Every structure is written in structure tokens, then in C-alpha cells.
Amino acid sequence: MAAPVPTEAFVPGHITGLFTVNRDEDPLRTGSRGAGVTLVDGATVEVGPAGSSGIRIDGNRMEIEAVRSVLESLDVAAEIDIETELPLGTGFGLSGAMALGTALAANEAFELGHSENDLIRIAHRAEVEAGTGLGDVIAQARGGLPLRLEPGAPPHGQLDGIPARKRVEYLSLGELSTPTILKERREVITAAGTETLAFLREHPTADRFMAASRQFADAVELLTPELETIIETVEEAGGQASMAMLGKTVFAFGRDLSDAGYDPEVSATHPSGARLLE
Amino acid sequence: MAAPVPTEAFVPGHITGLFTVNRDEDPLRTGSRGAGVTLVDGATVEVGPAGSSGIRIDGNRMEIEAVRSVLESLDVAAEIDIETELPLGTGFGLSGAMALGTALAANEAFELGHSENDLIRIAHRAEVEAGTGLGDVIAQARGGLPLRLEPGAPPHGQLDGIPARKRVEYLSLGELSTPTILKERREVITAAGTETLAFLREHPTADRFMAASRQFADAVELLTPELETIIETVEEAGGQASMAMLGKTVFAFGRDLSDAGYDPEVSATHPSGARLLE
């Protein structure tokens, strides 16, 4: 196989506000309903030539199971260089972004001739099998503020979106252990996700998304005292905030964290989805 | 109703390379299978306050039935100001772009609380009922190089995409009468569209899209001698080109028209789809 031309893809980060857990024997039917926010910050994935596959994040060697699995599915060996401004493991869907970015860039670099849906399916399956995500990949492929109406990859998964553009503020305090939480609280999560998604779909706006996310965070009892204090401080200042599922991260629209006296990171909703870079 | 804040949306132009005609009693199930290219050039639609609805394109009063119909569906009266770099009536899906842009911007300006799919449905129905388009709106909502696998608006219509970024060149020579052609050649068009879409889906790349579009143009016998001469000149120079369905427009990727000695307009594929502007 000829050495490919280095090729880059960008995939937005994805903050999940509320979700359900939907498992199936078929990983392409496994996934999640729910709602989230994609960000102009995300993962830039460069696929370059290599005799064997290796992964670097911001210059450091790492093992990311979902990325490794995408390369195996595509049957290529490549050096994967990933850059991201977002903190790992704190609820920004970065493993999904890295898996989808690898699929898009490798398809182009090695001229594999897969369709967009093929690549979404490959990345979604890799995430589900690695146990690192259920709904990030399909949300990141769409961009904006995705509503996941039916779980899974195309053609099973069905999406809608909230038509809005927003400044996003966030504060990240650290990691949460995703797999443990998903196992222990699956039924509570799915009940709360179903209810708050229905509430959001009655009036799919950015404000209602934040209110539904806040209700979800309360119902699933994942708020640490530290996160709860920040959210309540924002509310006392007249704003809205909620928790990124799943990470010790508080997010808000507009200036709601700044106006409550915090010094947050600033981002914005991504207007579209994952894409090859020129 | 309070006067809304002026709000803008951008919707990419859409060149259809090949298509089928799929009519149904339900306009949301009426549509088209096929493939096309969305462009960084398109329609910017501003919705401003007005006592009664009026439409201007590049400053000139116009009547666009699909736009009028979207405003009626949303039950709002507004002044619609549209700007576009693309020529009207020559195969760039501008009526679809104007209808979808009006839906997105009016939903935001009047805080109507519709979802993205709601707005796509409203614009698609308006286009179908006006007889000005079958597949542009859903393609323009997705962006990139959309493949329309199943006809109609969500949740009926199903899309995929060709994962590519391309420079696009085009030459526009004038209008074709769309409604007459769709009536007279419906069966030939649908047979050719079905066959060339299957050929394209075997290997969904930009090159194959151009080859499939060229086959489609031949099969439906819509090439005027003038268009045929341009396409053949491009092919003699080692390139590929085809005809925008439906307009007297030749399009090509990269520099294939320039390299054949023409002086084309230059655009590029749109990386995403319709969006609100900030």
C-alpha cells in the first residue's frame, strides 16, 4: 500500500446534557437517546504514513482503544496525531471525536471509498465496544445541538436538532468513572433521560435544553457537592447551568458562569459536524 | 406579536448531479433519491420586522412561492431580505435555499420553538407544493456532498454523504424549464437516477460522483449542444464535468474547467449544512 498523503479531520467536542442507555446485541443498534451541545473546540486528527499504528495526543504517546479499533476495522496502519484544547475524561466526548476523526481522515488518506454513514458506523461501533461512549459519535457527525431521538448508528439512529447558535462557558474539575456509573445507574438514567427528552421536545430551544439537563442531573444524583455549589451560584445570579454527562464539568450558555463570578473556559456551539480539513 | 430582532440564516446552494422523481400524496414523502454537491455560495436570508410579508432578492422585490408558503406555515409576517452570489433558475437549488433559510431565520426571530427537522419539513413541503424542487432542501440541511437514499423529509427521507472537500468550478449559460421537464421525462429520469445512484454507492467518492452524473446527463438527454461541447472539451483535456440538474450549467471539481480553457466561476463544497448566522 502506498504511503498516504497526511490528511486531517476535525470533530467537535460534545457535551451531553441528558441521555438514556440502550443496549442491544448489535452494536449499531446500541446507543442512547438524549440531547447535547457540540463545540467549536474538539479534536483535530491527522493521519500520516506509518509502518505500524501509533497514537499521539498533543505530542504524547497514548493508547485509545476506540481509535485503535477504527484502524483495525479499516485495515490500515497509520500514525495518528491528535490535537485538542479540551480536557480528556471530563465529559467532552473526546474518545468519540478521536474515533470519528480517525475514520474520516484515514478514509481520505488511504482512498478507501467509504461513505459518511459507513465511517460513522465504524466509529460508533468502536466506541460502543470500547465502552467509552454511546451517543457522542452520531451527535458529533451532525453538529449543532443534536437531539438523539432513536439510539444507534445510521440507519437505526434518528436525529433532530435545536436550531440555535450559542456561546458556551464551562468549568472542568476532573474525571468521573464512566463505565461504573453506566452499569450501576442504568435504569435511573434511562428513566430520567426519557422524561427530560420528552420535556425538551415539547419546545426544543437552548433555554429548555438547559432546564431539561438540570432536571436530569438532579434526577440521576450525579452532582458532587462542588458541582452543585457552582450550579446553584449560577442560578442565584439569575442564570442556568448543568453538568456535562459524564465528567466533573459544569457548562452554561452565554455568560452565565462569568456573571456568577467564575472564570470559565469559553467556547461556542459548532455550527455543523465532523469534517475533513482542507 | 413583538417585532423580532433581525436574524440571518445561510443555506448552501445545491447542484444536483443525478436524481429520481418520487411522488406521493403526502408532500413529506414526496421527494427524490440522488446525489449532489452543496456549495459555500448560497443564499443568506435575513428576517426583519414587518407588518406584512415582503420578499427582496439582492434588493429587488420578488415573489418566491416557496418562501411565501413557509411564512404562512409559520404564521408570521416578516420582511425577507435575501442575498445570493448564485444565478437564479440555473440549477443551484436557490428556491430551496431561500425556503429553508426563511424557516430557520423566522423560527429564531419570532422564537417559535420548532426543531431543525420541523423547519426542514416546512421548507420541503413548501418547495414540493410550489413545484420548484424535490430534494434540495434536505440536501442543503446536511451539506457536503449529500446522497439522498430515500425520498422525502425527516423521518421518511434518508441521507448519506460522500466524505470529501472539493474546489468546484461552474459555467452558467441560462435557465431550463424545470416543471415541464419533470413531467415529460419522469420515467426516464427515475430509471437513470436509480441506476447511476447504485453505481455511485458502490464507491462513494467525488470522482465517481462526477462519472455517475455524466452518465445520468447522457441518459436523460437534457444536454444542449452548447453544454455538450463544454463537457467534451473538458474530457478531451483529461478532466470530468457534468450538467447541473436542472439548469444550463456545467460544473466540475478542481480546475477541470479552467484547465480546458474556460473562465469559470469558482466555488467549493460546503463543509456542513444550513445554519443560523451569529
Side-chain angles (χ1 to χ4, degrees):
Chain A
M1 185 179 286
V5 178
T7 306
E8 284 189 325
F10 173 79
V11 183
H14 179 238
I15 296 174
T16 297
L18 54 102
F19 70 107
T20 67
V21 180
N22 302 88
R23 300 218 182 269
D24 191 279
E25 280 183 26
D26 180 356
L28 297 182
R29 291 178 184 272
T30 295
S32 162
R33 296 187 180 85
V37 179
T38 64
L39 300 178
V40 293
D41 298 307
T44 302
V45 179
E46 181 178 300
V47 170
S52 62
S53 296
I55 303 166
R56 277 187 302 210
I57 302 181
D58 296 330
N60 305 308
R61 283 262 162 244
M62 303 271 284
E63 261 315 309
I64 306 289
E65 188 181 336
V67 169
R68 181 72 64 175
S69 164
V70 164
L71 292 173
E72 282 168 11
S73 292
L74 294 173
D75 199 20
V76 295
E79 185 70 32
I80 307 296
D81 263 301
I82 298 167
E83 292 187 12
T84 180
E85 319 82 345
L86 296 170
L88 281 165
T90 55
F92 292 97
L94 277 174
S95 63
M98 294 188 284
L100 182 55
T102 299
L104 277 165
N107 179 67
E108 179 75 6
F110 292 96
E111 298 180 2
L112 301 177
H114 292 290
S115 76
E116 288 178 350
N117 288 0
D118 290 339
L119 299 171
I120 294 167
R121 281 188 281 269
I122 286 166
H124 176 81
R125 175 192 291 269
E127 266 273 275
V128 166
E129 290 179 347
T132 42
L134 288 169
D136 288 322
V137 167
I138 60 158
Q140 289 160 330
R142 182 181 180 109
L145 289 89
L147 301 173
R148 287 168 285 119
L149 307 185
E150 295 297 335
H156 312 298
Q158 295 292 330
L159 292 165
D160 196 349
I162 298 169
R165 298 285 293 268
K166 288 285 174 185
R167 175 187 157 107
V168 178
E169 295 188 339
Y170 66 87
L171 276 178
S172 273
L173 311 176
E175 300 190 23
L176 278 182
S177 172
T178 308
T180 315
I181 289 166
L182 289 182
K183 251 180 223 160
E184 285 173 0
R185 310 216 184 171
R186 177 177 158 180
E187 284 175 27
V188 172
I189 286 170
T190 298
T194 303
E195 191 175 323
T196 52
L197 180 61
F199 171 67
L200 172 54
R201 290 189 67 191
E202 285 172 8
H203 194 69
T205 64
D207 280 353
R208 178 68 72 98
F209 165 76
M210 199 56 84
S213 298
R214 177 73 171 95
Q215 283 182 19
F216 179 85
D218 267 348
V220 298
E221 296 181 346
L222 288 172
L223 290 171
T224 62
E226 208 178 0
L227 293 174
E228 197 154 19
T229 299
I230 299 171
I231 292 172
E232 286 172 359
T233 306
V234 169
E235 288 168 349
E236 282 158 19
Q240 284 184 296
S242 193
M243 172 187 167
M245 300 292 161
L246 292 161
K248 282 189 197 150
T249 297
V250 175
F251 71 100
F253 290 136
R255 297 177 179 278
D256 283 3
L257 276 161
S258 304
D259 288 348
Y262 293 99
D263 183 25
E265 301 294 322
V266 176
S267 186
T269 52
H270 195 269
S272 59
R275 61 175 70 173
L276 286 172
L277 298 177
E278 283 170 294
Chain B
M1 184 180 288
V5 178
T7 307
E8 284 189 325
F10 173 80
V11 183
H14 178 238
I15 296 174
T16 297
L18 54 102
F19 69 108
T20 67
V21 180
N22 302 88
R23 300 218 181 268
D24 191 280
E25 280 182 25
D26 180 356
L28 297 182
R29 291 179 183 272
T30 295
S32 162
R33 296 187 180 86
V37 179
T38 64
L39 300 178
V40 293
D41 298 307
T44 302
V45 179
E46 182 178 299
V47 170
S52 62
S53 297
I55 304 165
R56 277 188 302 213
I57 302 180
D58 296 330
N60 305 307
R61 283 260 164 245
M62 303 270 284
E63 261 316 309
I64 306 288
E65 189 180 337
V67 170
R68 182 71 66 176
S69 164
V70 164
L71 292 173
E72 283 168 10
S73 292
L74 294 174
D75 199 19
V76 295
E79 185 70 31
I80 307 296
D81 263 300
I82 298 166
E83 290 186 12
T84 181
E85 318 82 345
L86 295 170
L88 281 165
T90 56
F92 292 97
L94 277 175
S95 63
M98 295 188 284
L100 182 56
T102 299
L104 277 165
N107 178 68
E108 179 74 6
F110 293 96
E111 297 180 2
L112 302 176
H114 292 290
S115 76
E116 289 178 349
N117 288 359
D118 291 339
L119 300 171
I120 294 167
R121 280 188 281 268
I122 286 166
H124 176 80
R125 175 191 290 272
E127 265 273 276
V128 166
E129 289 178 349
T132 41
L134 289 169
D136 289 322
V137 167
I138 60 157
Q140 288 161 330
R142 180 179 181 111
L145 288 89
L147 301 173
R148 287 169 284 118
L149 306 186
E150 295 297 334
H156 312 299
Q158 295 293 330
L159 292 165
D160 196 348
I162 298 168
R165 297 285 294 269
K166 289 285 175 185
R167 175 187 156 107
V168 178
E169 295 188 339
Y170 66 86
L171 277 177
S172 272
L173 311 177
E175 300 191 24
L176 278 182
S177 172
T178 308
T180 316
I181 289 165
L182 289 182
K183 251 180 224 159
E184 285 174 1
R185 311 218 184 170
R186 179 177 156 179
E187 285 175 26
V188 172
I189 286 170
T190 299
T194 303
E195 191 175 325
T196 51
L197 181 60
F199 171 67
L200 171 54
R201 290 189 68 192
E202 286 171 8
H203 194 70
T205 63
D207 280 353
R208 178 68 72 99
F209 165 76
M210 198 57 84
S213 297
R214 176 73 171 96
Q215 283 181 18
F216 179 85
D218 266 349
V220 298
E221 296 181 346
L222 288 172
L223 290 172
T224 62
E226 209 177 1
L227 294 174
E228 197 154 19
T229 300
I230 299 171
I231 292 172
E232 286 173 358
T233 306
V234 169
E235 289 168 349
E236 281 159 20
Q240 284 185 295
S242 193
M243 172 187 167
M245 300 290 159
L246 292 162
K248 282 189 198 151
T249 297
V250 175
F251 71 100
F253 289 137
R255 299 180 178 275
D256 283 3
L257 275 161
S258 305
D259 288 348
Y262 293 99
D263 183 25
E265 300 295 322
V266 176
S267 186
T269 53
H270 195 269
S272 59
R275 59 175 69 173
L276 286 171
L277 297 176
E278 285 174 290

